[in-house]
Coordinates of all heavy atoms in Angstrom, one line a residue:
M28 N -133.5 -52.0 10.5 CA -132.6 -50.9 11.1 C -132.7 -49.7 10.2 O -132.5 -49.8 9.0 CB -131.2 -51.5 11.2 CG -130.4 -50.8 12.3 SD -128.9 -51.7 12.6 CE -127.9 -51.4 11.2
A29 N -133.0 -48.6 10.8 CA -133.1 -47.3 10.0 C -131.7 -46.9 9.6 O -130.7 -47.0 10.3 CB -133.7 -46.2 10.9
H30 N -131.6 -46.3 8.4 CA -130.3 -45.9 7.9 C -130.0 -44.5 8.5 O -130.8 -43.6 8.5 CB -130.4 -45.8 6.4 CG -129.1 -45.3 5.8 ND1 -128.0 -46.0 5.8 CD2 -128.7 -44.1 5.4 CE1 -127.0 -45.3 5.3 NE2 -127.4 -44.1 5.0
K31 N -128.8 -44.4 9.1 CA -128.4 -43.2 9.6 C -127.3 -42.6 8.7 O -126.4 -43.4 8.3 CB -127.8 -43.4 11.0 CG -128.9 -43.8 12.0 CD -128.6 -43.4 13.4 CE -129.8 -43.7 14.3 NZ -129.4 -44.5 15.5
P32 N -127.3 -41.3 8.5 CA -126.3 -40.8 7.6 C -124.9 -40.9 8.2 O -124.7 -40.7 9.4 CB -126.7 -39.3 7.4 CG -127.6 -39.0 8.6 CD -128.3 -40.3 9.0
E33 N -124.0 -41.2 7.4 CA -122.6 -41.4 7.8 C -121.7 -40.4 7.1 O -121.9 -40.1 5.9 CB -122.1 -42.8 7.6 CG -122.8 -43.8 8.5 CD -122.0 -45.1 8.5 OE1 -121.5 -45.5 7.5 OE2 -122.0 -45.8 9.5
R34 N -120.6 -40.0 7.7 CA -119.6 -39.2 7.1 C -118.3 -39.7 7.5 O -118.1 -40.4 8.5 CB -119.8 -37.7 7.6 CG -121.0 -37.0 7.1 CD -121.1 -36.8 5.7 NE -122.3 -36.1 5.2 CZ -123.5 -36.6 5.0 NH1 -123.6 -37.9 5.2 NH2 -124.5 -35.9 4.6
M35 N -117.3 -39.3 6.7 CA -115.9 -39.7 6.9 C -115.1 -38.7 7.7 O -115.2 -37.5 7.4 CB -115.3 -40.0 5.5 CG -113.9 -40.7 5.6 SD -113.2 -41.0 4.0 CE -112.8 -39.3 3.5
C36 N -114.4 -39.2 8.7 CA -113.5 -38.4 9.5 C -112.3 -38.1 8.6 O -111.8 -38.9 8.0 CB -113.1 -39.1 10.7 SG -111.7 -38.3 11.5
V37 N -112.0 -36.8 8.6 CA -110.9 -36.3 7.7 C -109.5 -36.8 8.3 O -108.5 -36.9 7.5 CB -110.9 -34.8 7.6 CG1 -110.4 -34.1 8.8 CG2 -110.1 -34.4 6.4
G38 N -109.5 -37.2 9.5 CA -108.2 -37.7 10.1 C -108.0 -39.1 9.9 O -107.0 -39.5 9.2
C39 N -108.9 -40.0 10.3 CA -108.7 -41.4 10.2 C -109.3 -42.0 8.9 O -109.1 -43.2 8.6 CB -109.1 -42.2 11.4 SG -110.8 -41.9 11.9
R40 N -110.2 -41.3 8.3 CA -110.9 -41.7 7.0 C -111.8 -42.9 7.3 O -112.0 -43.7 6.4 CB -109.9 -42.0 5.9 CG -109.0 -40.8 5.6 CD -108.4 -40.8 4.2 NE -108.1 -39.4 3.8 CZ -108.9 -38.7 3.0 NH1 -110.0 -39.2 2.5 NH2 -108.6 -37.5 2.7
K41 N -112.3 -43.0 8.5 CA -113.3 -44.0 8.8 C -114.6 -43.4 8.8 O -114.8 -42.2 9.0 CB -113.0 -44.6 10.2 CG -111.8 -45.6 10.2 CD -111.7 -46.2 11.6 CE -110.3 -46.7 11.8 NZ -109.8 -46.5 13.2
M42 N -115.7 -44.2 8.5 CA -117.0 -43.7 8.5 C -117.6 -43.7 9.9 O -117.5 -44.7 10.6 CB -117.9 -44.5 7.5 CG -117.4 -44.5 6.1 SD -117.4 -42.9 5.3 CE -119.1 -42.7 5.0
F43 N -118.3 -42.7 10.2 CA -119.0 -42.6 11.5 C -120.4 -42.0 11.3 O -120.7 -41.4 10.3 CB -118.3 -41.7 12.5 CG -116.9 -42.1 12.9 CD1 -115.8 -41.8 12.1 CD2 -116.8 -42.9 14.0 CE1 -114.6 -42.2 12.5 CE2 -115.5 -43.4 14.3 CZ -114.4 -43.0 13.6
E44 N -121.3 -42.3 12.2 CA -122.6 -41.7 12.2 C -122.4 -40.2 12.3 O -121.7 -39.7 13.1 CB -123.4 -42.2 13.4 CG -124.8 -42.4 13.2 CD -125.4 -43.0 14.5 OE1 -125.3 -44.3 14.7 OE2 -125.9 -42.3 15.3
K45 N -123.1 -39.5 11.4 CA -122.9 -38.0 11.3 C -123.1 -37.3 12.6 O -122.3 -36.4 12.9 CB -123.9 -37.5 10.2 CG -123.7 -36.1 9.8 CD -124.6 -35.9 8.6 CE -124.6 -34.4 8.2 NZ -125.7 -33.6 8.8
S46 N -124.1 -37.7 13.4 CA -124.4 -37.1 14.6 C -123.3 -37.2 15.7 O -123.2 -36.5 16.7 CB -125.7 -37.6 15.2 OG -125.6 -39.0 15.4
K47 N -122.4 -38.2 15.5 CA -121.3 -38.4 16.5 C -120.1 -37.6 16.1 O -119.1 -37.6 16.9 CB -121.0 -39.9 16.5 CG -122.1 -40.8 17.0 CD -121.6 -41.9 17.8 CE -122.8 -42.6 18.6 NZ -123.6 -43.4 17.7
L48 N -120.1 -37.0 15.0 CA -118.9 -36.3 14.5 C -119.0 -34.8 14.8 O -120.0 -34.2 15.0 CB -118.7 -36.5 13.0 CG -118.5 -37.9 12.6 CD1 -118.6 -38.0 11.1 CD2 -117.1 -38.4 13.0
L49 N -117.8 -34.1 14.8 CA -117.7 -32.7 14.9 C -117.6 -32.2 13.4 O -116.9 -32.8 12.6 CB -116.5 -32.2 15.7 CG -116.5 -32.6 17.2 CD1 -115.2 -32.3 17.8 CD2 -117.6 -31.7 17.9
R50 N -118.3 -31.1 13.2 CA -118.2 -30.6 11.8 C -117.6 -29.2 11.8 O -118.0 -28.4 12.6 CB -119.6 -30.6 11.2 CG -119.6 -30.2 9.7 CD -121.0 -30.4 9.1 NE -121.9 -29.3 9.5 CZ -122.9 -28.9 8.7 NH1 -123.1 -29.5 7.5 NH2 -123.7 -27.9 9.1
V51 N -116.8 -28.9 10.8 CA -116.3 -27.6 10.6 C -116.8 -27.0 9.3 O -116.7 -27.7 8.3 CB -114.7 -27.6 10.6 CG1 -114.2 -26.2 10.3 CG2 -114.2 -28.0 12.0
I52 N -117.4 -25.8 9.4 CA -117.9 -25.3 8.2 C -117.5 -23.8 8.0 O -116.9 -23.2 8.9 CB -119.5 -25.3 8.2 CG1 -120.0 -24.4 9.4 CG2 -120.0 -26.7 8.2 CD1 -121.5 -24.1 9.3
E53 N -117.8 -23.3 6.8 CA -117.5 -21.9 6.6 C -118.9 -21.2 6.6 O -119.8 -21.6 5.9 CB -116.9 -21.7 5.2 CG -116.5 -20.3 4.9 CD -115.7 -20.1 3.6 OE1 -115.8 -21.0 2.7 OE2 -114.9 -19.1 3.6
L54 N -119.0 -20.2 7.5 CA -120.3 -19.5 7.6 C -120.0 -18.0 7.7 O -119.2 -17.5 8.6 CB -121.0 -20.0 8.9 CG -122.4 -19.5 9.1 CD1 -123.4 -20.0 8.1 CD2 -122.9 -19.8 10.5
D55 N -120.6 -17.2 6.8 CA -120.4 -15.8 6.7 C -118.9 -15.5 6.7 O -118.4 -14.6 7.4 CB -121.0 -15.1 7.9 CG -122.6 -15.3 7.9 OD1 -123.1 -15.5 6.9 OD2 -123.1 -15.3 9.0
G56 N -118.2 -16.3 5.9 CA -116.8 -16.0 5.7 C -115.9 -16.4 6.9 O -114.7 -16.2 6.9
K57 N -116.5 -17.1 7.9 CA -115.7 -17.5 9.0 C -115.7 -19.1 9.1 O -116.7 -19.7 8.7 CB -116.3 -17.0 10.3 CG -115.9 -15.6 10.6 CD -116.2 -15.3 12.1 CE -116.7 -13.9 12.3 NZ -117.7 -13.7 13.3
I58 N -114.5 -19.6 9.5 CA -114.5 -21.0 9.7 C -114.8 -21.3 11.1 O -114.1 -20.9 12.0 CB -113.0 -21.5 9.3 CG1 -112.6 -21.1 7.9 CG2 -112.9 -23.1 9.5 CD1 -113.4 -21.6 6.8
I59 N -115.8 -22.1 11.3 CA -116.3 -22.4 12.7 C -116.5 -23.9 12.9 O -116.8 -24.6 12.0 CB -117.6 -21.6 13.0 CG1 -118.7 -22.0 12.0 CG2 -117.3 -20.1 13.0 CD1 -120.1 -21.7 12.5
V60 N -116.5 -24.2 14.2 CA -117.0 -25.6 14.6 C -118.5 -25.5 14.7 O -119.0 -24.7 15.5 CB -116.3 -26.0 16.0 CG1 -116.8 -27.4 16.3 CG2 -114.8 -25.9 15.9
D61 N -119.1 -26.3 13.9 CA -120.6 -26.3 13.9 C -121.1 -27.5 14.6 O -121.3 -28.6 14.1 CB -121.0 -26.4 12.4 CG -122.5 -26.6 12.2 OD1 -123.2 -26.0 13.0 OD2 -122.9 -27.3 11.3
D62 N -121.3 -27.3 15.9 CA -121.7 -28.5 16.8 C -123.2 -28.9 16.5 O -123.5 -30.0 16.8 CB -121.5 -28.2 18.2 CG -122.3 -26.9 18.7 OD1 -122.2 -25.9 18.0 OD2 -122.9 -27.0 19.8
K63 N -124.0 -28.0 16.1 CA -125.4 -28.3 15.9 C -125.7 -28.9 14.5 O -126.7 -29.6 14.4 CB -126.3 -27.1 16.1 CG -126.2 -26.6 17.5 CD -127.0 -25.3 17.7 CE -126.8 -24.7 19.1 NZ -125.5 -24.1 19.2
Q64 N -124.9 -28.7 13.6 CA -125.1 -29.3 12.2 C -126.4 -29.0 11.6 O -127.1 -29.8 11.0 CB -124.8 -30.8 12.2 CG -123.4 -31.1 12.8 CD -123.0 -32.6 12.5 OE1 -123.7 -33.3 11.7 NE2 -122.0 -33.1 13.2
K65 N -126.9 -27.7 11.8 CA -128.2 -27.3 11.3 C -128.1 -26.6 10.0 O -129.0 -26.6 9.2 CB -128.9 -26.4 12.3 CG -129.3 -27.1 13.6 CD -130.8 -27.6 13.5 CE -131.1 -28.7 14.5 NZ -131.0 -28.3 15.9
V66 N -126.9 -26.0 9.8 CA -126.7 -25.3 8.5 C -126.5 -26.2 7.4 O -125.7 -27.2 7.5 CB -125.5 -24.3 8.6 CG1 -125.4 -23.5 7.4 CG2 -125.6 -23.5 9.9
L67 N -127.2 -26.0 6.3 CA -127.1 -26.9 5.1 C -125.9 -26.5 4.3 O -126.0 -25.6 3.5 CB -128.4 -26.9 4.3 CG -129.5 -27.7 4.9 CD1 -130.8 -27.5 4.0 CD2 -129.2 -29.2 5.1
T68 N -124.8 -27.1 4.6 CA -123.6 -26.8 3.8 C -122.6 -27.9 3.9 O -122.8 -28.8 4.8 CB -122.9 -25.5 4.3 OG1 -121.8 -25.2 3.5 CG2 -122.5 -25.6 5.7
R69 N -121.7 -28.0 3.0 CA -120.7 -29.0 3.1 C -119.7 -28.6 4.2 O -119.4 -27.5 4.5 CB -119.9 -29.2 1.8 CG -120.8 -29.8 0.7 CD -119.9 -30.0 -0.5 NE -118.8 -30.9 -0.2 CZ -117.6 -30.8 -0.8 NH1 -117.4 -29.9 -1.6 NH2 -116.7 -31.7 -0.5
G70 N -119.2 -29.7 4.9 CA -118.2 -29.4 5.9 C -117.2 -30.5 6.0 O -117.2 -31.4 5.2
V71 N -116.3 -30.3 6.9 CA -115.2 -31.3 7.2 C -115.5 -31.9 8.5 O -115.8 -31.2 9.5 CB -113.8 -30.6 7.2 CG1 -112.7 -31.6 7.5 CG2 -113.5 -29.8 5.9
Y72 N -115.5 -33.2 8.5 CA -115.9 -33.9 9.7 C -114.7 -34.5 10.5 O -113.8 -35.0 9.8 CB -116.9 -35.1 9.4 CG -118.2 -34.5 8.9 CD1 -118.4 -34.2 7.5 CD2 -119.3 -34.3 9.7 CE1 -119.6 -33.6 7.1 CE2 -120.5 -33.8 9.3 CZ -120.6 -33.5 8.0 OH -121.8 -33.0 7.5
F73 N -114.9 -34.5 11.8 CA -113.8 -35.1 12.7 C -114.5 -36.0 13.7 O -115.5 -35.7 14.3 CB -113.1 -34.0 13.5 CG -112.3 -33.0 12.6 CD1 -112.9 -31.9 12.0 CD2 -111.0 -33.2 12.5 CE1 -112.2 -31.1 11.3 CE2 -110.2 -32.3 11.8 CZ -110.8 -31.3 11.1
C74 N -113.9 -37.2 13.9 CA -114.4 -38.0 15.0 C -113.8 -37.4 16.2 O -112.9 -36.6 16.2 CB -114.0 -39.5 14.7 SG -112.3 -39.9 14.9
R75 N -114.2 -37.9 17.4 CA -113.8 -37.3 18.6 C -112.5 -37.9 19.1 O -112.5 -38.6 20.1 CB -114.9 -37.4 19.7 CG -116.0 -36.5 19.2 CD -117.3 -36.7 20.1 NE -118.4 -35.9 19.5 CZ -118.7 -34.7 20.0 NH1 -118.1 -34.1 20.9 NH2 -119.7 -34.0 19.4
D76 N -111.5 -37.7 18.3 CA -110.2 -38.3 18.6 C -109.1 -37.2 18.4 O -109.0 -36.6 17.3 CB -109.9 -39.5 17.7 CG -108.6 -40.2 18.0 OD1 -107.6 -39.5 18.3 OD2 -108.6 -41.4 18.0
K77 N -108.3 -36.9 19.4 CA -107.3 -35.9 19.3 C -106.3 -36.2 18.2 O -105.7 -35.3 17.6 CB -106.6 -35.7 20.7 CG -107.4 -34.8 21.6 CD -106.5 -34.4 22.8 CE -107.3 -33.9 23.9 NZ -108.1 -32.6 23.8
G78 N -106.0 -37.5 18.0 CA -105.1 -37.9 17.0 C -105.5 -37.5 15.6 O -104.7 -37.1 14.8
C79 N -106.9 -37.5 15.4 CA -107.4 -37.1 14.1 C -107.3 -35.6 13.9 O -107.0 -35.2 12.8 CB -108.8 -37.6 14.0 SG -109.0 -39.4 13.8
I80 N -107.5 -34.9 14.9 CA -107.4 -33.4 14.8 C -105.9 -33.1 14.5 O -105.6 -32.3 13.7 CB -107.8 -32.7 16.1 CG1 -109.4 -33.0 16.2 CG2 -107.5 -31.3 16.1 CD1 -110.0 -32.5 17.6
A81 N -105.0 -33.7 15.2 CA -103.6 -33.5 15.0 C -103.2 -33.9 13.6 O -102.4 -33.1 12.9 CB -102.7 -34.3 16.0
A82 N -103.7 -35.0 13.1 CA -103.4 -35.4 11.7 C -103.9 -34.4 10.7 O -103.2 -34.1 9.7 CB -104.0 -36.8 11.5
A83 N -105.1 -33.9 10.9 CA -105.7 -33.0 10.0 C -104.9 -31.7 10.0 O -104.7 -31.1 8.9 CB -107.2 -32.7 10.4
R84 N -104.5 -31.3 11.2 CA -103.7 -30.1 11.3 C -102.4 -30.2 10.5 O -102.0 -29.3 9.8 CB -103.4 -29.8 12.8 CG -102.7 -28.6 13.1 CD -102.6 -28.4 14.6 NE -102.1 -27.1 15.0 CZ -102.2 -26.6 16.2 NH1 -102.8 -27.2 17.1 NH2 -101.7 -25.4 16.5
K85 N -101.8 -31.3 10.7 CA -100.5 -31.6 10.0 C -100.6 -31.5 8.5 O -99.8 -30.9 7.8 CB -100.0 -33.0 10.4 CG -98.5 -33.1 10.5 CD -98.2 -34.4 11.1 CE -96.7 -34.5 11.4 NZ -96.4 -35.9 12.0
K86 N -101.7 -32.0 8.0 CA -101.9 -32.0 6.5 C -102.7 -30.8 6.0 O -103.1 -30.8 4.9 CB -102.4 -33.4 6.0 CG -103.7 -33.8 6.5 CD -104.1 -35.2 6.0 CE -105.4 -35.6 6.6 NZ -105.7 -37.0 6.4
K87 N -103.0 -29.9 6.9 CA -103.7 -28.7 6.6 C -105.0 -29.0 5.9 O -105.4 -28.4 4.8 CB -102.9 -27.7 5.8 CG -101.6 -27.3 6.5 CD -101.0 -26.1 5.7 CE -99.7 -25.7 6.4 NZ -99.8 -25.2 7.8
A88 N -105.7 -30.0 6.4 CA -107.0 -30.5 5.8 C -108.0 -29.4 5.6 O -108.7 -29.3 4.6 CB -107.6 -31.6 6.6
L89 N -108.1 -28.5 6.6 CA -109.1 -27.4 6.5 C -108.8 -26.4 5.4 O -109.6 -26.0 4.6 CB -109.4 -26.8 7.8 CG -110.0 -27.7 8.9 CD1 -110.1 -27.1 10.2 CD2 -111.4 -28.1 8.4
S90 N -107.5 -26.0 5.4 CA -107.1 -25.0 4.4 C -107.3 -25.6 3.0 O -107.7 -24.9 2.1 CB -105.6 -24.7 4.5 OG -105.4 -24.1 5.8
K91 N -107.1 -26.9 2.8 CA -107.3 -27.5 1.5 C -108.8 -27.6 1.1 O -109.1 -27.2 0.0 CB -106.7 -28.9 1.5 CG -105.2 -28.9 1.2 CD -104.7 -30.3 1.1 CE -103.2 -30.3 1.2 NZ -102.6 -31.4 2.0
H92 N -109.6 -28.0 2.1 CA -111.0 -28.1 1.8 C -111.6 -26.7 1.5 O -112.4 -26.6 0.5 CB -111.7 -28.7 3.0 CG -113.2 -28.8 2.8 ND1 -113.8 -29.9 2.2 CD2 -114.2 -27.9 3.1 CE1 -115.1 -29.7 2.2 NE2 -115.4 -28.5 2.7
F93 N -111.3 -25.7 2.3 CA -112.0 -24.4 2.1 C -111.2 -23.5 1.1 O -111.6 -22.4 0.8 CB -112.1 -23.7 3.4 CG -113.1 -24.4 4.3 CD1 -112.6 -25.1 5.5 CD2 -114.4 -24.5 4.1 CE1 -113.5 -25.8 6.3 CE2 -115.3 -25.1 4.9 CZ -114.9 -25.8 6.0
K94 N -110.1 -24.1 0.6 CA -109.3 -23.3 -0.4 C -108.9 -21.9 0.1 O -109.0 -21.0 -0.7 CB -110.0 -23.3 -1.8 CG -110.2 -24.7 -2.4 CD -110.8 -24.6 -3.8 CE -110.8 -26.0 -4.4 NZ -111.6 -26.9 -3.7
R95 N -108.5 -21.9 1.3 CA -108.1 -20.6 1.9 C -107.2 -20.9 3.1 O -107.2 -22.1 3.5 CB -109.2 -19.7 2.3 CG -110.2 -20.4 3.2 CD -111.4 -19.5 3.6 NE -111.1 -18.7 4.7 CZ -112.0 -18.0 5.4 NH1 -113.2 -17.9 4.9 NH2 -111.7 -17.3 6.4
N96 N -106.5 -19.9 3.6 CA -105.6 -20.2 4.7 C -106.5 -20.2 6.0 O -107.0 -19.2 6.4 CB -104.6 -19.1 4.8 CG -103.5 -19.5 5.7 OD1 -103.1 -20.6 5.9 ND2 -103.0 -18.5 6.5
V97 N -106.6 -21.4 6.6 CA -107.4 -21.5 7.8 C -106.4 -21.5 9.0 O -105.5 -22.3 9.0 CB -108.2 -22.8 7.8 CG1 -108.9 -23.0 9.1 CG2 -109.2 -22.8 6.6
S98 N -106.6 -20.6 9.9 CA -105.7 -20.5 11.1 C -105.8 -21.8 11.9 O -106.8 -22.4 12.1 CB -106.0 -19.2 11.8 OG -106.2 -19.5 13.2
D99 N -104.7 -22.1 12.6 CA -104.6 -23.3 13.4 C -105.5 -23.2 14.7 O -105.7 -24.2 15.3 CB -103.2 -23.5 13.9 CG -102.4 -24.3 12.8 OD1 -103.0 -24.7 11.8 OD2 -101.1 -24.4 13.0
D100 N -106.0 -22.0 14.9 CA -106.9 -21.8 16.1 C -108.1 -22.8 16.1 O -108.5 -23.2 17.1 CB -107.5 -20.4 16.1 CG -106.5 -19.3 16.3 OD1 -105.3 -19.7 16.5 OD2 -106.8 -18.1 16.3
I101 N -108.6 -23.0 14.9 CA -109.7 -23.9 14.8 C -109.4 -25.3 15.3 O -110.3 -26.0 15.9 CB -110.2 -23.9 13.3 CG1 -111.6 -24.6 13.2 CG2 -109.3 -24.7 12.4 CD1 -112.8 -23.7 13.6
Y102 N -108.2 -25.8 15.1 CA -107.9 -27.1 15.6 C -107.8 -27.1 17.2 O -108.2 -28.1 17.8 CB -106.5 -27.5 15.1 CG -106.5 -27.7 13.6 CD1 -105.9 -26.7 12.7 CD2 -107.1 -28.8 13.0 CE1 -105.9 -26.9 11.4 CE2 -107.1 -28.9 11.6 CZ -106.5 -28.0 10.8 OH -106.6 -28.1 9.4
E103 N -107.4 -26.0 17.7 CA -107.5 -25.8 19.2 C -108.9 -25.9 19.7 O -109.3 -26.5 20.6 CB -106.9 -24.5 19.6 CG -105.5 -24.2 19.1 CD -104.5 -25.0 19.8 OE1 -104.7 -25.6 20.9 OE2 -103.3 -25.2 19.3
K104 N -109.8 -25.2 18.9 CA -111.2 -25.2 19.3 C -111.8 -26.6 19.2 O -112.6 -27.0 20.0 CB -112.0 -24.2 18.4 CG -111.7 -22.8 18.7 CD -113.0 -21.9 18.3 CE -112.7 -20.4 18.5 NZ -112.0 -19.9 17.3
L105 N -111.4 -27.3 18.2 CA -111.9 -28.6 18.0 C -111.6 -29.5 19.2 O -112.4 -30.3 19.7 CB -111.4 -29.3 16.7 CG -112.1 -29.0 15.4 CD1 -111.3 -29.4 14.2 CD2 -113.4 -29.7 15.4
S106 N -110.3 -29.3 19.6 CA -109.9 -30.2 20.8 C -110.7 -29.9 22.0 O -110.9 -30.8 22.8 CB -108.4 -29.8 21.1 OG -107.6 -29.8 20.0
E107 N -111.2 -28.7 22.1 CA -112.1 -28.4 23.3 C -113.4 -29.1 23.3 O -114.0 -29.3 24.3 CB -112.3 -26.9 23.4 CG -111.1 -26.1 23.8 CD -111.3 -24.6 23.5 OE1 -112.4 -24.1 23.4 OE2 -110.3 -23.9 23.4
W108 N -113.8 -29.5 22.1 CA -115.1 -30.2 21.9 C -115.0 -31.7 22.2 O -116.0 -32.4 22.4 CB -115.7 -30.0 20.5 CG -116.3 -28.7 20.3 CD1 -115.7 -27.6 19.8 CD2 -117.6 -28.3 20.7 NE1 -116.5 -26.5 19.8 CE2 -117.7 -26.9 20.3 CE3 -118.6 -28.9 21.3 CZ2 -118.9 -26.2 20.6 CZ3 -119.8 -28.2 21.6 CH2 -119.9 -26.8 21.2
I109 N -113.8 -32.2 22.3 CA -113.6 -33.6 22.5 C -113.7 -34.0 24.0 O -113.2 -33.4 24.8 CB -112.3 -34.1 21.9 CG1 -112.4 -34.0 20.4 CG2 -111.9 -35.5 22.3 CD1 -111.1 -34.4 19.6
Ligands
LIG23 ZN1 -111.0 -39.9 13.0

């Protein structure tokens, strides 16, 4: 069985195959949902569960990760991808 890269969901802290997760990254100073995962950078991963997005929003996971104030809009955008 080939090894597939796994990442941890910031909401439920479970490991998932990277390709199944949504990734949020900082690109050119903007925080965006990176659905293609082509940019080589660190990001925050979310499994496709609204509960995880809500949990991350509550604990301001993105603001903590990017060490800046991340607007709640991004969580709305993430919900649209689920
Ligand atoms: Zn999750």
Side-chain angles (χ1 to χ4, degrees):
M28 204 165 74
H30 178 75
K31 296 209 172 122
E33 290 194 328
R34 292 293 182 276
M35 190 177 70
C36 166
V37 73
C39 58
R40 305 206 155 258
K41 284 183 200 140
M42 300 299 285
F43 294 91
E44 218 174 276
K45 190 169 173 266
S46 59
K47 298 215 164 75
L48 296 168
L49 291 168
R50 185 170 79 148
V51 174
I52 60 166
E53 185 171 27
L54 188 66
D55 299 330
K57 281 195 214 145
I58 306 296
I59 59 161
V60 181
D61 172 36
D62 59 315
K63 292 177 191 76
Q64 302 191 16
K65 290 266 160 62
V66 185
L67 286 174
T68 183
R69 286 185 62 214
V71 180
Y72 292 85
F73 293 84
C74 70
R75 292 172 186 261
D76 185 317
K77 280 195 197 291
C79 289
I80 293 171
R84 183 177 188 160
K85 215 171 185 181
K86 60 186 178 192
K87 300 190 183 300
L89 292 174
S90 296
K91 275 181 197 146
H92 177 87
F93 294 109
K94 297 185 173 61
R95 55 183 271 190
N96 192 38
V97 177
S98 125
D99 277 354
D100 294 358
I101 193 79
Y102 296 104
E103 305 288 341
K104 285 210 186 82
L105 273 167
S106 309
E107 288 166 20
W108 283 97
I109 288 177

